[in-house]
Amino acid sequence: MAVQRRDFLKKLGLAGVGLSLMPGLIQAAPKYKMPAKGKDLSVVRLSGKVHTNGSGIANVAVTDGYNVVLTDAKGRYEFDSNATVEFVYISIPRGYEFPSEKSITRFYKRITAERGKFKADFELKKLTQDDTNHNYVVWADPQIISKSDAEQLKTESAPDLKKLVSSYAAGTLFHGFGCGDLVWDKFELFDDYQQALNHTAVQFFQVIGNHDMDLTARTDEHSAETFKKLFGPTYYSFNRGEIHYVVLDDVFFIGTAKKYIGYITEKQLAWLEQDLAHIKPGSTVVVNLHIPVFTRQHIRNKEKDEPLGGVVANRKELYRLLKPFKAHINSGHTHFNEKILEGDNIIEHVHGTVCGAWWTGPICFDGTPGGYGVYEVNGSDIKWYYKSTSLPKEHQLRLYPVGKVKEKPEHFAANVWNWDPQWKVEWLEDDRKMGEMQRETGYDPLSVELHEGTAKPAKHKWVEPQLTEHLFFAKPSPNTHKITVKVTDRFGNIFQEELAQQQPVKSAVN
C-alpha cells in the first residue's frame, strides 16, 4: 500500500482531499467587501396564510430560521423577525404535495420587506392519496466537476433512478435528498445537476456540502449565498406521512478556501429544538446533512483524533435533541458506506456516493458500488437497501476468490457494503452449510486494483483504497468445487452469490 501518501491524504481532510491536491485550485480568498452601512437589525413583521384553495390549514409550522410558530385555525401566522433574515418558510404538513419547480422543492419565500413588513402566503395542494406509505432516496455527492461528469449523472444516474421508481406500483410516492456536494466547486454545473433531477421526475430536497459553498466568503455566514439563491434555506423541515424530515447544514466554513469543520451552529440547534417541540415523542425523525455525525474511519486508521472535517464536533447536542424519537441520520461526504448505531434509537446511514470515487469508475474507494440509498416507509417504520447504479437492486455483495486479498492468501472474501450488526453473512461449501464468515477490517481488492498507487486512477491519481469494516472472510477446504455466500439483511431479505470456479478451490497451504 502507498502508506506514506495515504497518511498525507488523511491529514488534509476526507472529502476535500482531491481538490486539495490538484495544482492551481488552491487560492487565497479575496477580502470580503463590507457593506456601505452597518447590519440592519430593525424589526420586520412577517405574516401570511397557509391554505389550500383559500381554505386555511391549521397548525402548520412557519419559520424564519430563528422562530417557529404555528398557524391558527384559519391558517394565518404573524410574528416579529428582523431585517437580517432572508427567508420565511413552512414545514410542509403531511397529506400535501411538495411545491416544486423542475424537481426542486420550493417551500420558502425570500423576504423583501417594505416599511418593516413582509407578507407571504403559501398555497398547498392536497395529495390525491394517503402518504402513510412512501419512499425516499438519498443521492450523496453527485460532485460533478466537468461536463463529462455531468453527462454521466444525466445519462447513467438519473435514468437508473427513474427506472427504479417505475419498478414500483404506479403512483408510489417518492422524494429525494441531494445530500451535499451537488457539484465540485463549479457552480456553473448546478444547472446540469438540476437537469439530472428533472429527468428523474422525483422531487428533491437539497443539502449543502463543502463543495457547494462560496469559497470567497470571509465567514461561514456568507458561504452559502449561491446555494441559497438556487435552493433556498440550508436548514428546514417537512412532513410526509408519519415521518418528520429535517435538513441541516453541518459544514462550517472557517474563512479560507476549502477549509471547514463538521459543526452545527447554535442558531440551527436553537431552531431545531423549537421545530422538534411540535413533534410527538416516539415519532420517527429523519435528519439529513452532509458531513457524517460520526464515522469509525479514524478508528480503522488507528488515528488518535477525529478528523475535524470528517465528523460533527458537537454531535452530542444533536443526539440529545433526537433522544425522544426514533431517529435516522442520512449523510454523505466520505465516499464510503457505513452504518453507525448510537444508543437504541439512532442509526446513521453514511452513504456511498452517486459519483463513486469521483467518477473514476464503478466503485467508491471502499469497494461500495457508485449508487444511492433507497428507503421504504410504512407508517413510522423504515426499511432500506443500497441501489448500485446500472445494477439490479438485489446486488448487495461482491465475492473475491481465494488469494485475491494478499493479506489473507488462504481465504476468499465478500464485501457486504450495506452491512450492519443485524445482518448475517454465511457461507456454503459445495452446498454444505459452513456457518458465518468472519468480519475483518481490510482493503477491498477491486479498489486496490483500480485505485492503489500514484499512477491510478488516471482521472484523479490521488484516489487511494480506504479501509473498510464490511469485509468478510472464510477459509475453504482443499478441493472445494463451489463456494456460495448467503447474506440475510435485518429485514429478512436474502441475497446470494456464488464464486465461479473453473477448477476446484485449492488451499494455499503447501
Side-chain angles (χ1 to χ4, degrees):
M1 298 293 170
V3 177
Q4 292 181 338
R5 185 161 168 268
R6 188 160 46 246
D7 289 343
F8 174 62
L9 297 181
K10 294 171 190 170
K11 293 177 183 178
L12 291 178
L14 187 60
V17 65
L19 281 181
S20 300
L21 295 178
M22 294 175 69
L25 286 178
I26 295 181
Q27 56 184 352
K31 292 182 178 180
Y32 181 77
K33 185 177 180 180
M34 287 293 291
K37 297 181 179 179
K39 183 177 289 187
D40 185 356
L41 298 176
S42 60
V43 173
V44 173
R45 190 71 171 171
L46 301 177
S47 64
K49 183 178 181 179
V50 182
H51 65 97
T52 178
N53 293 323
S55 179
I57 307 172
N59 296 316
V60 177
V62 183
T63 183
D64 59 354
Y66 287 94
N67 310 284
V68 178
V69 301
L70 299 180
T71 56
D72 65 16
K74 295 183 178 180
R76 298 173 302 190
Y77 70 90
E78 188 171 3
F79 63 98
D80 285 336
S81 183
N82 70 76
T84 66
V85 170
E86 298 174 83
F87 302 99
V88 58
Y89 47 106
I90 61 172
S91 186
I92 302 168
R94 69 172 297 177
Y96 290 88
E97 294 183 3
F98 300 140
S100 65
E101 176 187 1
K102 295 181 179 179
S103 286
I104 304 295
T105 52
R106 306 294 187 191
F107 52 90
Y108 56 89
K109 300 288 179 68
R110 183 174 283 275
I111 296 172
T112 53
E114 292 185 13
R115 299 181 180 179
K117 296 180 180 180
F118 181 72
K119 184 178 180 180
D121 293 339
F122 295 88
E123 182 174 9
L124 297 177
K125 185 178 180 180
K126 283 188 176 182
L127 286 166
T128 58
Q129 65 193 98
D130 180 65
D131 61 359
T132 301
N133 294 348
H134 62 273
N135 299 339
Y136 66 90
V137 299
V138 176
W139 268 20
D141 302 69
Q143 202 159 340
I144 50 179
I145 198 173
S146 65
K147 283 292 184 180
S148 174
D149 292 352
E151 191 65 16
Q152 282 189 263
L153 184 69
K154 288 187 281 188
T155 60
E156 296 176 14
S157 304
D160 187 84
L161 175 53
K162 187 174 183 179
K163 182 179 179 181
L164 177 76
V165 172
S166 68
S167 71
Y168 284 79
T172 300
L173 292 171
F174 265 89
H175 65 275
F177 295 94
C179 213
D181 284 0
L182 313 179
V183 299
W184 195 351
D185 300 325
K186 300 290 187 179
F187 290 173
E188 63 271 21
L189 297 176
F190 273 129
D191 185 59
D192 293 271
Y193 169 73
Q194 293 183 68
Q195 289 174 29
L197 296 191
N198 192 39
H199 182 76
T200 70
V202 173
Q203 294 166 308
F204 267 72
F205 294 84
Q206 312 307 325
V207 178
I208 190 170
N210 52 288
H211 287 296
D212 305 317
M213 299 188 301
D214 295 281
L215 301 180
T216 57
R218 71 172 186 172
T219 61
D220 180 67
E221 285 79 2
H222 296 285
S223 64
E225 297 298 328
T226 299
F227 182 93
K228 288 188 287 190
K229 287 177 182 177
L230 293 170
F231 306 117
T234 59
Y235 60 95
Y236 51 92
S237 69
F238 65 94
N239 304 274
R240 172 141 282 182
E242 298 177 16
I243 311 297
H244 184 65
Y245 293 93
V246 175
V247 168
L248 296 175
D249 171 6
D250 68 344
V251 184
F252 190 91
F253 179 64
I254 61 174
T256 186
K258 309 185 196 310
K259 299 296 182 181
Y260 55 88
I261 62 174
Y263 182 79
I264 302 173
T265 61
E266 171 60 26
K267 177 181 173 183
Q268 289 185 78
L269 290 171
W271 168 84
L272 181 61
E273 193 160 20
Q274 294 179 75
D275 177 77
L276 293 178
H278 301 296
I279 306 303
K280 182 181 178 180
S283 300
T284 300
V285 174
V286 176
V287 177
N288 302 271
L289 35 68
H290 179 61
I291 295 176
V293 176
F294 186 70
T295 83
R296 290 174 49 83
Q297 190 195 32
H298 65 286
I299 299 171
R300 292 191 286 274
N301 293 335
K302 297 181 179 180
E303 296 168 345
K304 180 180 178 181
D305 299 318
E306 300 173 357
L308 285 176
V311 298
V312 174
N314 58 336
R315 61 183 174 272
K316 289 184 179 179
E317 182 60 16
L318 177 61
Y319 290 154
R320 184 187 73 81
L321 293 176
L322 294 176
K323 190 173 183 179
F325 309 100
K326 294 187 297 183
H328 293 260
I329 299 173
N330 297 320
S331 58
H333 185 59
T334 64
H335 296 252
F336 58 69
N337 211 68
E338 185 175 11
K339 302 295 182 187
I340 299 294
L341 305 182
E342 173 62 27
D344 59 1
N345 73 310
I346 299 175
I347 180 168
E348 179 167 8
H349 310 266
V350 183
H351 290 80
T353 55
V354 171
C355 72
W358 296 270
W359 302 106
T360 60
I363 62 171
C364 304
F365 50 31
D366 70 332
T368 300
Y372 50 96
V374 183
Y375 297 80
E376 301 173 335
V377 178
N378 182 355
S380 62
D381 296 326
I382 303 177
K383 294 182 179 181
W384 58 86
Y385 61 91
Y386 186 87
K387 175 63 176 69
S388 304
T389 303
S390 301
L391 292 168
K393 65 181 184 181
E394 293 78 18
H395 181 64
Q396 297 295 320
L397 66 153
R398 184 187 307 110
L399 302 186
Y400 296 102
V402 171
K404 192 67 174 179
V405 179
K406 62 182 180 181
E407 292 82 3
K408 298 184 73 67
E410 299 179 355
H411 295 70
F412 70 93
N415 191 335
V416 187
W417 40 82
N418 219 30
W419 175 89
D420 70 50
Q422 292 191 27
W423 287 46
K424 183 182 290 186
V425 181
E426 304 169 286
W427 67 293
L428 295 83
E429 190 174 88
D430 292 332
D431 297 323
R432 182 165 56 96
K433 294 181 179 180
M434 302 299 292
E436 294 191 37
M437 297 180 69
Q438 182 68 38
R439 185 172 63 92
E440 297 185 28
T441 299
Y443 295 97
D444 176 81
L446 182 58
S447 181
V448 172
E449 179 182 330
L450 296 177
H451 303 146
E452 186 182 39
T454 58
K456 57 187 179 181
K459 186 173 182 178
H460 299 305
K461 296 180 180 180
W462 41 264
V463 174
E464 289 289 328
Q466 294 290 320
L467 290 169
T468 180
E469 295 176 42
H470 46 67
L471 285 178
F472 294 80
F473 296 89
K475 182 180 177 181
S477 304
N479 301 315
T480 298
H481 287 79
K482 184 176 68 174
I483 292 171
T484 305
V485 175
K486 176 184 174 183
V487 173
T488 307
D489 72 9
R490 61 161 55 211
F491 309 113
N493 298 308
I494 296 175
F495 309 100
Q496 192 165 293
E497 298 283 350
E498 293 183 1
L499 274 174
Q501 297 291 337
Q502 298 299 321
Q503 300 293 332
V505 175
K506 295 184 179 180
S507 171
V509 178
N510 293 325

